[in-house]
Amino acid sequence: MSFFTEKNVYLNFEAKSKDDFFRKISKIAKEQNLIKSQKDLYEAFLKREEESSTGFENGYAIPHAHSDTIIKPTLLWVTFKKEVDWNSLDGKPTKYAFVILVPNSANNEHIQMLSKISIMMMNQETMDKLVSLKNKKEIAKLINNNLYKEQKESSNISEDNNKLILALTACPVGIAHTYLAAEKLTEAGKELNYNIKVETHGSQGVKNQFTNEEIEKADIILVSADIGLDLSRFKGKRIYQTNIKPSIKDPINTIKTALEKATIQDNSNVSNSDSQKKFKDDGELSSWRKAIQHLQTGVSYMVPFIILGGICIALAVGIGKLIYGENYGAPEGDFFYYLEKIGSIGFTLMIGALGAFIANSIAGRSAIAPTFIVCVLANTADALYPIGGINVETAMGFIGAILFGFLIGYTVKWINTWNVHKNIQALMPIFVIPLGVGLFYSLIAIFVIGAPIGYIMDKFIWALNQAFTSNTNISIGVGLGFGLLFGAMVGFDMGGPINKVAFITGSTLISSGVYEPMGMVAAAIPVAPIGMALCTMIFRNKFNENEKTLGVSAFVMGCIGISEGAIPFAIADPKKAIISNVVGSSIAGGIAGALGVTCLAGHGGPIVGVLAAVSSDRSYGMAGGIGFFFMAIVIGSLITAFMYGFLRKVDQANNFKTSKGFSFKIFSKKTNKIENNEVVKMNG
């Protein structure tokens, strides 16, 4: 059976915009029974575009969706009646598109078949012929000839040329960009008279894998990826890391830069995820940037522990109070007793996860076990020796996790540089490092720094408790001040590093019995997305249809505590949107802080109020706390909505572009293009 037929060809397709095309093609896919849900396919397209634009060069695009809603792998060829703005790599509008639909259950054979389209596009003669054809049967025949022809893996290595470059390519979805970059680098290598072999890390797995002999001979290792890759096998080799776009847009210059600026890394196990770091011009990271990247990696693994643990505790305590009264203490054997145990374990293990994955980001998997154990140990108060009679109650907490994450990470990285006998090498990551490093730092935590740091933490927590719960004007002032600060941090980058500092501070203090900071953060989290959503509803004439649709999504995301719903608005109009978000979020945090709102869950938004996770420490009880919590959200959101609505101009609706990134120089009215393509992505 032919995979591609004339039914898959759409000529002179009418679409006003990329978003309009996604809506129409999703409707067609539903009518042809290719998918289960038109809405789910449309959202899958948008989700992929958030990673990076699927618009390439010379008028071509490869939009693709990977979703359970897709029934079978499908390829469509579309030519547009009028050019469509696709935010392409070369800034030119799109005339032609291959549309790829892949179910999550698709096997490697299907995915490999679809991936050949990316390679087909590199053949200029084939593509010129394709766009010139007007007969659907001839188009289908040409595409099938390229889909089914034999394509053997080749290392492209000439025995007569001793110069060798090894390159790795990987994109988040692993269907188009991965193989386009591979083909571009291969052609550029030939033009520069270099042997080049490209290892692709796509949806069909690792293809064209390097041999040990090739790694030994290689002049450099070029890593072109938007996801983290394990680079430990390249120990001692010169490595250059960049994201995938430069390899597609300017492969020759990418190779030249790599040859000039590649550096030796003793234990290369660095995640080069574009969502976690920003490359400098030389493709390297400063020491400070590296430290921030390692910390953010640890935080990203820690957050699920916080959410699971916090929600379970919130449900157990919140609903339990409704059943047993304010002095709730679930009896052993009660359902809520066990639910609270789940939450407590989550909060215990989150400290280990933070430290372990900081260390993993630095030195690889062998650092995970010793760091996890040491961090949990350092957070266990009765396991620390009472130096000078100091009885520790708070232990080291997340301070210890960060400290030991970096200490053990760099220790293991240093150990990995040792030149040990090959018979011992296999024992290093599973025996020598866990036992030696784990035992050494465990003893340091128990007998040296555990009690002193725990003592300082005790005093800090005591001071916070006194400040927040003394029922005086001082406590109101302290709560207001902290709330304004935390709220501003939450609203500034909507899930980015500054937002995360406030979130992690509030959530980790929950385990120490201080719930007020999380109350402030929880009230501030939904303000930016809900505020932007309300603005699109109140000031409808200042927003286009695409923005209004995004406003609905932002409202839903805000209600469940996801602040990233406001990011598209911040990208389109950074100065006005961010200022509005910061002001509204700050006021929401300040109100919550002044009124003593507490939150037992490491999460935010109206959902934690619905789950009865909020209360008040000012003798207002749960009912008062929930009321103040929602009041703070409503006031903050309305301030953001009206502030941005008054600042925004009507004609800005025509300049709106979406992307899951953030830049203070995005749009130029003179050139009608994005001027600064360097985007720092924000997660969480």
Side-chain angles (χ1 to χ4, degrees):
M1 181 184 292
S2 176
F3 180 77
F4 189 89
T5 71
E6 57 187 285
K7 293 181 180 179
N8 299 59
V9 178
Y10 295 88
L11 304 178
N12 296 318
F13 197 98
E14 293 191 18
K16 298 177 182 178
S17 64
K18 179 168 63 172
D19 184 81
D20 183 44
F21 172 70
F22 288 151
R23 292 182 184 277
K24 289 181 177 178
I25 205 68
S26 297
K27 182 180 180 181
I28 290 171
K30 177 61 177 175
E31 291 171 350
Q32 294 188 1
N33 294 319
L34 300 174
I35 59 173
K36 302 172 188 175
S37 167
Q38 179 181 334
K39 179 183 177 183
D40 289 348
L41 179 61
Y42 168 72
E43 291 177 350
F45 279 126
L46 294 184
K47 182 178 179 181
R48 176 59 190 87
E49 293 297 318
E50 286 177 353
E51 298 288 349
S52 58
S53 175
T54 55
F56 294 100
E57 298 175 305
N58 303 318
Y60 293 102
I62 311 181
H64 43 284
H66 201 225
S67 171
D68 285 327
T69 197
I70 299 169
I71 298 171
K72 60 181 181 179
T74 304
L75 174 69
L76 307 175
W77 167 248
V78 179
T79 65
F80 292 101
K81 187 173 183 179
K82 293 183 179 180
E83 296 176 334
V84 177
D85 182 8
W86 212 281
N87 193 19
S88 301
L89 290 175
D90 59 1
K92 296 179 180 179
T94 292
K95 303 176 185 177
Y96 318 100
F98 279 113
V99 182
I100 301 174
L101 308 180
V102 185
N104 287 332
S105 59
N107 57 36
N108 285 343
E109 181 181 355
H110 285 137
I111 296 174
Q112 185 174 9
M113 188 77 66
L114 296 171
S115 300
K116 290 178 182 178
I117 290 298
S118 303
I119 299 172
M120 173 183 169
M121 290 181 64
M122 295 298 102
N123 189 321
Q124 192 60 47
E125 183 179 347
T126 300
M127 295 308 296
D128 288 343
K129 183 177 180 181
L130 178 63
V131 300
S132 67
L133 293 174
K134 304 301 179 184
N135 183 283
K136 291 187 177 183
K137 288 185 178 180
E138 292 179 358
I139 292 173
K141 182 179 178 180
L142 177 62
I143 292 175
N144 275 319
N145 287 341
N146 281 272
L147 283 176
Y148 288 96
K149 71 179 181 180
E150 288 294 321
Q151 292 184 352
K152 296 182 180 179
E153 288 185 4
S154 172
S155 64
N156 300 304
I157 296 177
S158 170
E159 296 296 332
D160 299 329
N161 191 341
N162 293 323
K163 299 186 293 183
L164 174 62
I165 296 172
L166 298 182
L168 300 89
T169 61
C171 67
V173 176
I175 293 177
H177 291 66
T178 299
Y179 303 97
L180 279 170
E183 192 70 14
K184 287 275 192 177
L185 289 172
T186 300
E187 294 301 318
K190 292 177 182 178
E191 189 170 335
L192 294 172
N193 196 31
Y194 263 90
N195 279 321
I196 184 166
K197 180 176 180 179
V198 184
E199 181 180 285
T200 55
H201 292 248
S203 294
Q204 54 183 292
V206 179
K207 295 294 181 181
N208 215 23
Q209 194 163 4
F210 308 140
T211 65
N212 291 334
E213 183 181 1
E214 288 167 345
I215 294 174
E216 183 67 27
K217 291 180 179 179
D219 294 298
I220 63 165
I221 311 297
L222 168 58
V223 183
S224 179
D226 288 339
I227 62 173
L229 299 176
D230 182 4
L231 310 181
S232 57
R233 56 187 160 143
F234 305 121
K235 179 180 177 181
K237 302 298 296 185
R238 294 178 63 223
I239 298 177
Y240 177 82
Q241 298 183 70
T242 185
N243 53 34
I244 204 163
K245 279 190 177 180
S247 297
I248 298 173
K249 191 172 183 180
D250 192 0
I252 291 178
N253 189 54
T254 299
I255 292 175
K256 287 180 178 179
T257 306
L259 289 167
E260 178 185 352
K261 298 183 177 180
T263 58
I264 294 176
Q265 298 184 36
D266 291 328
N267 185 46
S268 304
N269 193 34
V270 180
S271 168
N272 47 351
S273 170
D274 193 43
S275 65
Q276 293 180 359
K277 64 185 182 182
K278 170 177 173 286
F279 287 91
K280 294 166 65 179
D281 291 340
D282 60 359
E284 301 271 336
L285 288 171
S286 66
S287 296
W288 173 248
R289 281 283 181 185
K290 285 182 179 179
I292 294 297
Q293 173 201 330
H294 299 320
L295 180 60
Q296 287 184 321
T297 300
V299 169
S300 68
Y301 281 96
M302 178 190 185
V303 167
F305 287 82
I306 295 174
I307 293 175
L308 173 61
I311 294 297
C312 286
I313 291 175
L315 285 171
V317 176
I319 299 178
K321 281 183 177 180
L322 296 176
I323 297 174
Y324 298 102
E326 286 293 322
N327 297 321
Y328 160 69
E332 187 171 349
D334 186 272
F335 172 77
F336 295 108
Y337 171 85
Y338 293 109
L339 194 62
E340 189 173 7
K341 289 297 180 186
I342 295 172
S344 298
I345 293 296
F347 266 71
T348 299
L349 296 181
M350 74 178 184
I351 299 296
L354 174 61
F357 287 99
I358 289 173
N360 175 61
S361 178
I362 297 169
R365 288 177 294 177
S366 58
I368 292 177
T371 314
F372 206 114
I373 292 170
V374 172
C375 291
V376 173
L377 174 74
N379 195 46
T380 306
D382 58 8
L384 304 178
Y385 182 76
I387 301 173
I390 298 175
N391 291 315
V392 180
E393 294 181 7
T394 307
M396 296 180 69
F398 72 97
I399 300 296
I402 295 172
L403 175 64
F404 286 117
F406 281 100
L407 285 176
I408 297 176
Y410 283 109
T411 299
V412 173
K413 185 174 182 179
W414 171 63
I415 291 174
N416 285 334
T417 65
W418 294 359
N419 187 17
V420 298
H421 193 275
K422 62 180 181 180
N423 293 332
I424 302 177
Q425 283 181 348
L427 295 175
M428 293 295 288
I430 62 174
F431 183 81
V432 177
I433 290 175
L435 181 62
V437 175
L439 185 59
F440 174 77
Y441 280 105
S442 292
L443 296 175
I444 293 291
I446 294 170
F447 295 107
V448 180
I449 63 176
I453 293 180
Y455 177 78
I456 295 172
M457 292 295 292
D458 280 343
K459 297 302 180 184
F460 174 68
I461 298 299
W462 179 86
L464 282 179
N465 268 317
Q466 290 297 307
F468 287 127
T469 61
S470 60
N471 289 314
T472 64
N473 291 331
I474 295 177
S475 67
I476 295 174
V478 169
L480 176 63
F482 272 105
L484 291 171
L485 174 62
F486 284 151
M489 293 171 69
V490 168
F492 178 72
D493 54 4
M494 296 149 287
I498 296 174
N499 173 292
K500 280 293 186 290
V501 171
F503 174 74
I504 294 301
T505 300
S507 56
T508 51
L509 284 173
I510 292 174
S511 60
S512 299
V514 180
Y515 307 115
E516 290 81 5
M518 194 63 227
M520 307 166 195
V521 173
I525 283 174
V527 167
I530 292 178
M532 291 293 115
L534 292 176
C535 190
T536 64
M537 300 172 191
I538 298 169
F539 300 89
R540 295 186 63 81
N541 64 317
K542 294 189 177 184
F543 296 90
N544 61 33
E545 291 303 316
N546 187 34
E547 292 172 296
K548 292 172 186 175
T549 300
L550 286 171
V552 175
S553 299
F555 185 83
V556 174
M557 293 172 74
C559 288
I560 59 175
I562 301 175
S563 56
E564 284 87 338
I567 288 178
F569 298 92
I571 293 169
D573 191 12
K575 293 180 181 179
K576 297 171 185 175
I578 291 174
I579 290 172
S580 303
N581 289 339
V582 168
V583 172
S585 300
S586 179
I587 290 173
I591 292 171
L595 295 174
V597 173
T598 62
C599 182
L600 294 169
H603 198 57
I607 188 172
V608 296
V610 173
L611 294 174
V614 295
S615 187
S616 175
D617 63 4
R618 303 256 196 270
S619 301
Y620 302 120
M622 180 183 292
I626 293 175
F628 294 148
F629 178 70
F630 279 102
M631 181 179 73
I633 293 174
V634 170
I635 293 174
S637 299
L638 287 173
I639 288 173
T640 291
F642 280 98
M643 185 172 179
Y644 184 53
F646 289 131
L647 290 174
R648 184 182 168 101
K649 297 178 180 178
V650 176
D651 62 355
Q652 285 184 246
N654 298 321
N655 297 339
F656 186 80
K657 292 183 179 287
T658 59
S659 171
K660 194 178 181 181
F662 171 85
S663 171
F664 277 94
K665 287 184 178 180
I666 296 245
F667 198 83
S668 169
K669 293 184 179 178
K670 293 181 180 179
T671 63
N672 201 40
K673 293 181 180 178
I674 292 178
E675 292 291 320
N676 183 357
N677 286 325
E678 186 175 40
V679 175
V680 183
K681 287 192 175 182
M682 297 173 294
N683 277 357

